[in-house]
């Protein structure tokens, strides 16, 4: 559920994969999927997967607490 992510500047958002603990840093984006720096979860394509373990989609991630 994209609405469960905290509201903060997108460049501050770090998402962690629930399966392998890979951390997606929105400040860096994901060049392999043409996701630019500053992207939000709403910007992720439906077929985006964790680059480490291939868990499918943004639902496999949680926002990491500061």
């Amino acid at each position: 559920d994209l609405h469960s992510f905290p509201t903060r500047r997108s460049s501050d958002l770090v998402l962690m994969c629930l399966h392998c603990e890979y951390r997606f840093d929105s400040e860096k984006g994901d060049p392999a999927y043409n996701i630019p720096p500053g992207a939000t979860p709403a910007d992720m394509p439906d077929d985006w997967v964790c680059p480490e373990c291939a868990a499918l989609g943004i639902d496999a991630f949680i926002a990491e607490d500061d």
Side-chain angles (χ1 to χ4, degrees):
D1 181 20
L2 296 178
H3 300 289
S4 65
F5 289 107
T7 304
R8 62 176 108 171
R9 292 181 315 144
S10 60
S11 62
D12 293 340
L13 186 62
V14 176
L15 304 175
M16 184 180 72
C17 178
L18 294 168
H19 302 276
C20 72
E21 297 185 2
Y22 165 79
R23 284 167 175 76
F24 170 80
D25 186 343
S26 64
E27 186 175 341
K28 297 176 183 173
D30 186 343
Y33 278 87
N34 289 328
I35 298 172
T40 66
D43 299 322
M44 304 299 200
D46 292 337
D47 64 346
W48 187 73
V49 298
C50 174
E52 294 293 317
C53 73
L56 180 60
I58 197 66
D59 290 336
F61 285 77
I62 58 170
E64 188 173 72
D65 292 331
D66 290 342

